[in-house]
Amino acid sequence: MIYKPLTHQITWIAGLVLLLGLAASAPKEDHKTLDIGASAPDFSLPGIDGKQYSLKSFAGSPALVIVFSCNHCPTAQAYEDRLIQLVKDYKPKQVNFVVISPNNPATVSLAELGYTDLSDSFEEMKIRAKAKGYNFPYLYDGDTQATALKYGPVATPHVFIFDKDRKLQYAGRFDAKEKPGTGNAEDARTALDAVLAGQKVPVPTTKTFGCSVKWMEKEDYIKKQQAEWAKRPVSLEDIDVAGLKKLIQNDSDKLRLINVWATWCGPCVQEFPDFVSIDRMYRERDFEFVSVSADKPDKKTKALEFLKKKEASNRNYIFSSEDKYALIEAIDPKWQGALPYTILVEPGGKIVYSKQGTINVLEMKKQIVENRLLGRYY
């Protein structure tokens, strides 16, 4: 008579453990977007101009436009010029604009940076704002995401338009045409005109296309991706003068970044991780990174060990001869011979960038993403 109740109890406990496990592994609910008619939640966020902003910072205007956007998203970049023009057109009407970056930089994967030279850190926000001439406050919410949680943006960019009483009257897209030059923020303009006229917005909500908000809970995904990268095989192949010349001719359809380095070259070793990061950013696009070791052929094992430590799963070569001048001439006759040496080669062999010495990483990324073969937009 003891065994039946005990068996039943064990089964119940096992079921409870299973349910708890499922609950722990289940994805979190989507973050709810603010309802039309709701009051604008207050916030206190730092701007890239060194000021602290809250709702009071925009008091007295007949309308307030809050846009959740970011640096890295191709859709956000596609709408930058339209947003800047929108601000110019409506500032004379006393409309206030503010853009908030909701993304936590630690949860932005390198693989998600294929359309940009910048991620979403506060310092990088300053760089992008200066480069584009932002004419609105650009605020950072990435550390806590407390403001984003209150507003619930679905993607970047996501537009929220409030009336003079700071009641939400519109939430959604700028317009339905992402490609620059094909739209003029028609949806946002229609909503703003209605709010300024004291009228009901014809279409108060629209769907928003763009990059998902990089919530802090995504950190586990980043760790899994890093672990996956670490498992990818790393190899080092021999290459001769003929092979180097073919490499430079670039008969592929990809933009090819070539870095010549050596294990005995301090600056080479120091900057090599930057090339690995660049490779991970753009490798899914029309781009490839190739490294060429100038180590002596008998140091191949040492060079391969270094590459494995750096998880360099790109194409790697080592020059098969000790004739360094043959290496120099085969890579680029204009190269004076100092290491490291880096070139960016378009299909057909046109060298569009060359640098003797260490690269400026930001400049390099900009050269890549703004090349005609890639670009910042879909």
Side-chain angles (χ1 to χ4, degrees), residues 116-189:
T116 182
D117 50 338
L118 298 165
S119 188
D120 294 333
S121 71
F122 188 62
E123 291 305 314
E124 287 167 302
M125 287 168 59
K126 295 178 182 178
I127 296 172
R128 187 60 183 168
K130 183 178 180 180
K132 289 296 294 183
Y134 283 178
N135 54 356
F136 45 78
Y138 193 21
L139 316 185
Y140 178 69
D141 186 37
D143 286 346
T144 67
Q145 300 183 314
T147 300
L149 286 168
K150 294 175 184 177
Y151 284 78
V154 173
T156 51
H158 198 152
V159 183
F160 293 78
I161 298 178
F162 297 87
D163 61 20
K164 59 182 176 61
D165 298 319
R166 298 303 180 255
K167 302 293 183 181
L168 183 63
Q169 300 300 327
Y170 175 80
R173 66 196 182 199
F174 281 107
D175 58 53
K177 299 176 181 178
E178 178 184 7
K179 185 179 179 181
T182 61
N184 190 33
E186 287 86 356
D187 293 291
R189 288 174 183 272

Side-chain angles (χ1 to χ4, degrees), residues 254-310:
K254 296 182 177 182
L255 184 65
R256 181 173 287 167
L257 176 63
I258 302 173
N259 173 245
V260 187
W261 67 284
T263 56
W264 48 262
C265 166
C268 301
V269 171
Q270 186 175 9
E271 77 169 352
F272 198 87
D274 291 325
F275 286 107
V276 174
S277 295
I278 288 171
D279 173 54
R280 292 177 178 181
M281 285 174 66
Y282 304 113
R283 66 160 53 187
E284 299 304 324
R285 304 195 65 194
D286 293 328
F287 170 87
E288 67 173 341
F289 167 57
V290 180
S291 83
V292 178
S293 171
D295 285 285
K296 292 181 178 180
D298 62 358
K299 299 298 182 182
K300 183 176 181 179
T301 300
K302 182 178 180 181
L304 179 58
E305 288 176 354
F306 172 83
L307 292 168
K308 286 182 176 179
K309 287 180 181 178
K310 301 306 176 184

Side-chain angles (χ1 to χ4, degrees), residues 330-371:
I331 291 288
D332 182 4
K334 295 180 181 180
W335 175 22
Q336 296 302 304
L339 290 179
Y341 190 64
T342 303
I343 57 175
L344 194 60
V345 189
E346 290 185 345
K350 181 181 179 181
I351 297 176
V352 294
Y353 172 93
S354 61
K355 181 68 166 68
Q356 182 170 265
T358 55
I359 62 169
N360 179 306
V361 179
L362 180 57
E363 180 187 351
M364 184 78 262
K365 292 175 182 177
K366 196 170 183 180
Q367 287 279 343
I368 293 169
V369 77
E370 293 186 350
N371 185 274

Side-chain angles (χ1 to χ4, degrees), residues 24-170:
S25 62
K28 295 187 178 183
E29 291 184 6
D30 290 339
H31 301 280
K32 188 178 183 301
T33 302
L34 196 67
D35 292 326
I36 296 297
S39 297
D42 201 1
F43 53 83
S44 179
L45 294 173
I48 60 167
D49 56 3
K51 300 177 182 178
Q52 195 76 9
Y53 289 85
S54 67
L55 277 181
K56 289 182 180 179
S57 305
F58 310 99
S61 62
L64 172 63
V65 181
I66 298 178
V67 181
F68 286 86
S69 191
C70 67
N71 285 345
H72 88 273
C73 175
T75 307
Q77 292 179 83
Y79 278 99
E80 279 177 315
D81 290 337
R82 268 170 281 188
L83 172 57
I84 291 170
Q85 187 60 50
L86 192 68
V87 175
K88 289 180 181 178
D89 293 344
Y90 282 86
K91 269 199 171 179
K93 301 178 182 181
Q94 307 305 312
V95 175
N96 278 330
F97 290 79
V98 59
V99 177
I100 300 173
S101 179
N103 291 343
N104 181 273
T107 61
V108 181
S109 162
L110 285 172
E112 294 173 297
L113 300 179
Y115 288 82
T116 182
D117 50 338
L118 298 165
S119 188
D120 294 333
S121 71
F122 188 62
E123 291 305 314
E124 287 167 302
M125 287 168 59
K126 295 178 182 178
I127 296 172
R128 187 60 183 168
K130 183 178 180 180
K132 289 296 294 183
Y134 283 178
N135 54 356
F136 45 78
Y138 193 21
L139 316 185
Y140 178 69
D141 186 37
D143 286 346
T144 67
Q145 300 183 314
T147 300
L149 286 168
K150 294 175 184 177
Y151 284 78
V154 173
T156 51
H158 198 152
V159 183
F160 293 78
I161 298 178
F162 297 87
D163 61 20
K164 59 182 176 61
D165 298 319
R166 298 303 180 255
K167 302 293 183 181
L168 183 63
Q169 300 300 327
Y170 175 80

Side-chain angles (χ1 to χ4, degrees), residues 307-326:
L307 292 168
K308 286 182 176 179
K309 287 180 181 178
K310 301 306 176 184
E311 300 175 4
S313 58
N314 50 281
R315 277 205 289 164
N316 301 294
Y317 294 104
I318 184 169
F319 188 48
S320 57
S321 168
E322 292 191 14
D323 186 350
K324 303 309 180 191
Y325 295 97

